[in-house]
Amino acid sequence: MDSNADDEQVASSENDEDEDLDFAEPRYQIGQKIYARDGKSGIYESVVKKIESRPKVEGWSYWVHYLGWNSRWDRWIPQEDVLDDTDENRALSLKASEEQRQISSTKKRKREEKVEKKRQKKKDSSLLVASNKTSRSILSLEDFCQIPFTLKTIMLDDRSALSSESDHLISEDDLLPWQPNRLVHTLPAAVTIQMVLDKFVKRTKKEAAAKVIITPNMKSTTQKTENESDKEDEEEARMAAARRIVKTAEKDAQEFVGILANLFNESLPVLLLYHEERYQHLSIVNETMRDHEPVDFYGCEHFLRLFVRLPILWNAAVLGGSIEVQQFGEQIASLLVFLQKHHNSCFRAQYRPPTRNEMTPSEKVTQDNLNELGS
């Protein structure tokens, strides 16, 4: 009797252990709509895609897809993070989404405030430096107008071709027709100043665009995510900021080259022409340049002369009061680097002997005398 009772007790104990090892059926089925927790506060409308018992996880695990989200955010969650599709849980989801939007909005506002503080701090620093300098001397801009050696060589070669550095040797074979021992530029130039300035603006815009790096703030699947619409807003904000930077760079470059073009047009006949060239300029003005500006006719060989005179022009013109010298000087330096780097393309001067109308009065007298002598 006692032996049979002991056997029944052992069998009953084994049956109890088998019952403990049995898993209950999963509460949710594939394709069922649920609400899934994501983190401590996020509750999202979801649908079950897979069900399985996963190691080291008590109970069933569900592979869920968050409705309205990209499938890359699909993940396994334990049953304890799954909520029924009820009105109460739907209200909790809406409340959690609203809280997340407020948190994202607060973070975005704080980032913008931080960026604005940095910008204002930089601006205040610039104003402080400017206030400590009561006046700007010519040397402050002259430091930016240092012409590179390569461009200086071009200026010297150009001056040599345009001037008569030695007396013209006359023989019986070249008495007629007589020509001055110098050359003039063929105008309009093959590459005009305006063409180069336009290229400089395009290059400045291209460089500004290359410096703008738009890096999406992607998070791994193990990190907690914010509302996807907020992420799209942030991405759009970064792209809009990049476009503003490029547009501002282009606008600044256009204003800068506009100032230089106006300076060249006004200064050329007064300060930038050699004595021998003035008669050619007068001839062009009277014949072909009535509806054009000098920047549309002259090449960069003449443009380099402006940089030599620029510190004086800065001090004499109203530019010194309306434009900050540091910014203008940096743009000048950048343009000089551009000219040096592309000097083979920018400096394409062609020369020819001067015509009768392009000669100086003394050269005309010499030509008349020698022609009479030859005749």
Side-chain angles (χ1 to χ4, degrees), residues 243-258:
R243 288 192 292 267
R244 286 195 298 271
I245 291 173
V246 174
K247 188 174 181 179
T248 299
E250 182 182 18
K251 180 181 177 182
D252 290 344
Q254 289 175 340
E255 291 179 354
F256 167 69
V257 300

Side-chain angles (χ1 to χ4, degrees), residues 156-371:
L156 291 174
D157 292 342
D158 182 62
R159 183 70 179 101
S160 176
L162 298 175
S163 63
S164 185
E165 297 182 351
S166 60
D167 293 335
H168 184 79
L169 299 178
I170 304 173
S171 66
E172 294 182 356
D173 295 333
D174 64 1
L175 282 176
L176 292 174
W178 179 88
Q179 288 288 340
N181 188 29
R182 65 178 181 87
L183 301 173
V184 295
H185 281 277
T186 301
L187 299 176
V191 178
T192 65
I193 297 171
Q194 190 61 57
M195 293 179 185
V196 174
L197 292 179
D198 291 341
K199 288 289 186 181
F200 176 73
V201 172
K202 291 182 180 179
R203 180 56 61 91
T204 301
K205 180 182 178 180
K206 184 177 180 180
E207 291 177 352
K211 291 178 181 178
V212 177
I213 303 175
I214 305 175
T215 305
N217 187 20
M218 298 302 297
K219 297 185 178 180
S220 66
T221 56
T222 59
Q223 291 178 309
K224 308 306 177 185
T225 63
E226 299 177 354
N227 189 289
E228 188 172 8
S229 62
D230 293 329
K231 290 185 177 182
E232 293 176 355
D233 291 342
E234 292 176 8
E235 182 68 14
E236 180 62 29
R238 282 192 292 270
M239 295 178 67
R243 288 192 292 267
R244 286 195 298 271
I245 291 173
V246 174
K247 188 174 181 179
T248 299
E250 182 182 18
K251 180 181 177 182
D252 290 344
Q254 289 175 340
E255 291 179 354
F256 167 69
V257 300
I259 292 172
L260 285 187
N262 289 335
L263 273 177
F264 181 84
N265 292 335
E266 296 175 3
S267 305
L268 177 72
V270 181
L271 295 173
L272 306 183
L273 292 175
Y274 301 134
H275 173 71
E276 301 91 338
E277 295 179 294
R278 297 185 184 280
Y279 301 93
Q280 182 192 25
H281 179 72
L282 291 175
S283 176
I284 294 175
V285 169
N286 294 330
E287 295 175 4
T288 59
M289 209 173 70
R290 294 178 181 178
D291 299 327
H292 298 83
E293 299 289 351
V295 289
D296 299 318
F297 262 72
Y298 286 87
C300 287
E301 290 77 10
H302 287 85
F303 194 39
L304 286 179
R305 305 176 196 178
L306 178 66
F307 295 100
V308 177
R309 299 281 192 172
L310 197 54
I312 299 174
L313 294 172
W314 175 275
N315 218 36
V318 294
L319 291 176
S322 60
I323 302 176
E324 208 281 317
V325 65
Q326 181 73 21
Q327 177 185 357
F328 190 73
E330 290 174 355
Q331 290 173 316
I332 288 292
S334 178
L335 178 55
L336 285 172
V337 170
F338 176 82
L339 291 174
Q340 182 184 29
K341 184 177 180 180
H342 304 282
H343 66 274
N344 288 330
S345 300
C346 296
F347 298 90
R348 304 284 293 275
Q350 297 177 0
Y351 301 94
R352 60 172 176 78
T355 64
R356 173 77 179 183
N357 290 337
E358 296 168 345
M359 294 182 187
T360 66
S362 61
E363 289 171 342
K364 290 180 180 179
V365 171
T366 301
Q367 186 183 58
D368 293 340
N369 292 337
L370 288 176
N371 288 342

Side-chain angles (χ1 to χ4, degrees), residues 104-120 233-234 236-238 241 244:
S104 299
S105 178
T106 301
K107 289 182 178 179
K108 183 178 180 180
R109 186 176 66 255
K110 288 183 178 180
R111 285 194 297 267
E112 292 174 350
E113 290 176 352
K114 187 176 181 180
V115 171
E116 179 61 23
K117 286 181 179 178
K118 288 184 178 180
R119 189 193 67 80
Q120 188 62 38
D233 291 342
E234 292 176 8
E236 180 62 29
R238 282 192 292 270
R244 286 195 298 271

